[in-house]
Amino acid sequence: MRSPAPWSALAGPPAVREPSPTFSPEAVRALFPALTETADVYLDSASTTQKPRPVIEAIHRYHSSRTANAGRGTYPWSTGLTRALDTVRERTAEFLGATPQEVVFTAGATAGLNAVALAWGLATLEDGDEILYSPRDHASNVYPWIQLRATLARFGRRLHLVPYRITPLGEADIDDIAAKLTPRTRLITVSHLHHVFGARTTLEELRGRLDPRVLLCFDCSQSAGHLPVDVTDLGADFAVLSAHKMFGAPGTGVLYCHRRVHDRLGTFLPGGNSGVAPSGSGLLPTRMPEQLEGGTHNIPGILALGAALEFLGEIGPDAVAAHNLDLTQRLIAGLRPLPGLEFLPGPAHAPCETGYGIVSFTLDGISATDLGFVLAEYGFLVRTGAHCVPDPTSTPKETAAEDDSVRVSTHLYNTADEIDRFVRCLATIATEVR
């Protein structure tokens, strides 16, 4: 699964501040076939990342050589794949600072969050319990809790969803969360790195202040692959990853479940791994992580995740974070003087240099959608719209989503020159629309 050339061969000469990673983005870029075949500038990595050659080869290898099911046979093709998936699980655990038994393979981050709602929420929540959440998070970290509330209501259990605010910096408002904690709070769910604002939240200010019964759930879809993620440092009970946002394939994700919650989980996706109790009263609990992994694994997707983790490991998450910090600050500095441009909450409003590769803004005189079309005509591919923030009609008015905006999101294959060209293009558009 390794890259065609050792990373030492890809390293460039020592760079000054612009940019300052320990690798050459131009050399890394050569490992991404889609980027070598186009002159377009891809600035939508928060939606999905481009795929490096080792990931593509891992998927192709599974489908073209000894395709079999894992954990279902005793012949070498099957047992070899079983060992390969175990290796990816171990690598994922190391990536997160977890143990293999705490790593569950899912169909994506959305599936992981729904697994928490169904496997944990249905099994443990009682009438009157509360979950603290942000209505301005990704819909996948809002709608599962709304659906859980509706499901529990059918059985006579009231679940209260308590919204908390976001600061002007785009982070979860810790003071507001602390003020809304009650003896009935059972879960706080948060975006580790916000998908629109590009701001990081760790909840570290709450450590030592929470009742042990309050669990923490982190959506790490945007942070994984962009900066180091250590679930132990976060104090996470649950955390989800999205493989396709960290160079892997769509339809694959990871759910981290701290071992202290294992005995509170019901079976999720009962199937071939399940067993019926002798009394016929229900399903027997199985060991983790199999208890939450029903059906056939997405084998090529998990193998691709392993290749993506190895790829990231060769570069190092610190180097990726440093590169995205440089690009974020360069982008903000270039956009700040433009007439009519307004930044959404995020690193542009921070008192110090911060940034993880996501910047969102609006421009007077043109809608975000129209601006996206114009930028695409010039070869700059960005995301526009509400960015999967929930419909404001389903959330409290005081915490409703922002209007449509343009989101620029970078990764290790983007260069300082691309950012400069994007800024020049947007400067021309800003002048024309005024």
Side-chain angles (χ1 to χ4, degrees):
M1 298 181 186
R2 288 194 175 274
S3 52
W7 285 104
S8 58
L10 296 176
V16 292
R17 177 80 172 97
E18 308 169 341
S20 59
T22 57
F23 61 91
S24 163
E26 292 81 5
V28 169
R29 184 186 188 87
L31 297 177
F32 291 80
L35 297 178
T36 63
E37 297 171 358
T38 181
D40 290 337
V41 177
Y42 186 74
L43 295 170
D44 193 21
S45 290
S47 179
T48 194
T49 53
Q50 298 302 307
K51 314 308 174 192
R53 195 170 292 114
V55 169
I56 297 169
E57 291 172 352
I59 297 171
H60 180 265
R61 190 179 304 117
Y62 170 76
H63 286 298
S64 61
S65 176
R66 294 175 173 81
T67 302
N69 208 338
R72 299 291 195 272
T74 57
Y75 53 93
W77 291 16
S78 177
T79 57
L81 281 170
T82 302
R83 289 193 297 271
L85 297 196
D86 288 342
T87 298
V88 177
R89 195 186 302 276
E90 293 167 0
R91 183 173 295 153
T92 305
E94 183 180 2
F95 178 80
L96 290 172
T99 65
Q101 292 73 30
E102 296 172 316
V103 172
V104 179
F105 292 130
T106 69
T110 300
L113 289 164
N114 277 274
V116 176
L118 297 176
W120 169 78
L122 282 180
T124 65
L125 291 175
E126 299 177 352
D127 184 44
D129 283 346
E130 300 171 352
I131 290 178
L132 271 61
Y133 79 109
S134 169
R136 297 171 81 175
D137 277 356
H138 194 284
S140 294
N141 200 21
V142 175
Y143 289 152
W145 316 114
I146 293 177
Q147 180 65 19
L148 176 62
R149 179 177 60 185
T151 302
L152 289 173
R154 297 175 184 174
F155 299 95
R157 283 184 281 172
R158 293 165 298 171
L159 173 64
H160 300 293
L161 301 183
V162 181
Y164 59 79
R165 293 192 297 265
I166 295 293
T167 71
L169 302 185
E171 303 166 352
D173 190 325
I174 302 300
D175 291 336
D176 190 46
I177 291 176
K180 290 175 176 175
L181 290 169
T182 77
R184 300 308 302 270
T185 304
R186 293 293 176 265
L187 180 78
I188 303 172
T189 186
V190 66
S191 288
H192 186 210
L193 182 61
H194 199 277
H195 71 294
V196 180
F197 307 141
R200 186 170 67 104
T201 297
T202 64
L203 300 181
E204 61 183 335
E205 299 91 339
L206 294 176
R207 290 176 188 171
R209 301 165 59 185
L210 294 176
D211 187 300
R213 293 177 297 177
V214 178
L215 305 185
L216 302 183
C217 178
F218 286 87
D219 180 358
C220 299
S221 298
Q222 296 296 341
S223 55
H226 284 80
L227 64 149
V229 175
D230 189 304
V231 290
T232 302
D233 286 347
L234 287 174
D237 295 287
F238 303 108
V240 297
L241 312 183
S242 180
H244 76 96
K245 297 180 188 292
M246 48 189 293
F247 306 122
T252 310
V254 172
L255 166 61
Y256 161 77
C257 296
H258 193 291
R259 57 185 175 273
R260 79 166 175 141
V261 302
H262 287 184
D263 61 355
R264 302 178 229 175
L265 301 174
T267 298
F268 180 64
L269 291 178
N273 294 333
S274 307
V276 179
S279 64
S281 60
L283 298 178
L284 289 171
T286 57
R287 64 178 183 176
M288 285 289 288
E290 290 83 358
Q291 186 172 345
L292 301 187
E293 292 184 350
T296 299
H297 288 102
N298 179 356
I299 298 173
I302 295 172
L303 295 174
L305 172 62
L309 290 174
E310 185 170 353
F311 179 79
L312 282 166
E314 295 282 359
I315 300 171
D318 290 325
V320 177
H323 179 62
N324 275 311
L325 172 61
D326 283 324
L327 295 184
T328 303
Q329 287 298 313
R330 192 181 193 97
L331 177 63
I332 290 172
L335 296 181
R336 199 180 294 281
L338 300 189
L341 188 140
E342 182 175 351
F343 290 107
L344 266 61
H349 301 279
C352 58
E353 283 195 355
T354 185
Y356 305 94
I358 297 176
V359 176
S360 299
F361 60 87
T362 60
L363 186 64
D364 286 347
I366 186 171
S367 70
T369 300
D370 288 342
L371 181 54
F373 281 123
V374 174
L375 288 168
E377 288 293 320
Y378 287 100
F380 296 100
L381 312 183
V382 299
R383 175 76 181 269
T384 63
H387 313 292
C388 296
V389 172
D391 182 349
T393 61
S394 68
T395 59
K397 291 182 179 179
E398 68 270 17
T399 54
E402 299 283 347
D403 294 332
D404 292 353
S405 62
V406 175
R407 182 185 68 189
V408 176
S409 52
T410 65
H411 220 312
L412 58 87
Y413 36 63
N414 291 118
T415 66
D417 176 68
E418 289 179 335
I419 297 300
D420 293 343
R421 287 192 284 128
F422 175 80
V423 168
R424 289 196 297 268
C425 179
L426 196 60
T428 300
I429 296 171
T431 300
E432 292 178 351
V433 297
R434 288 176 66 86

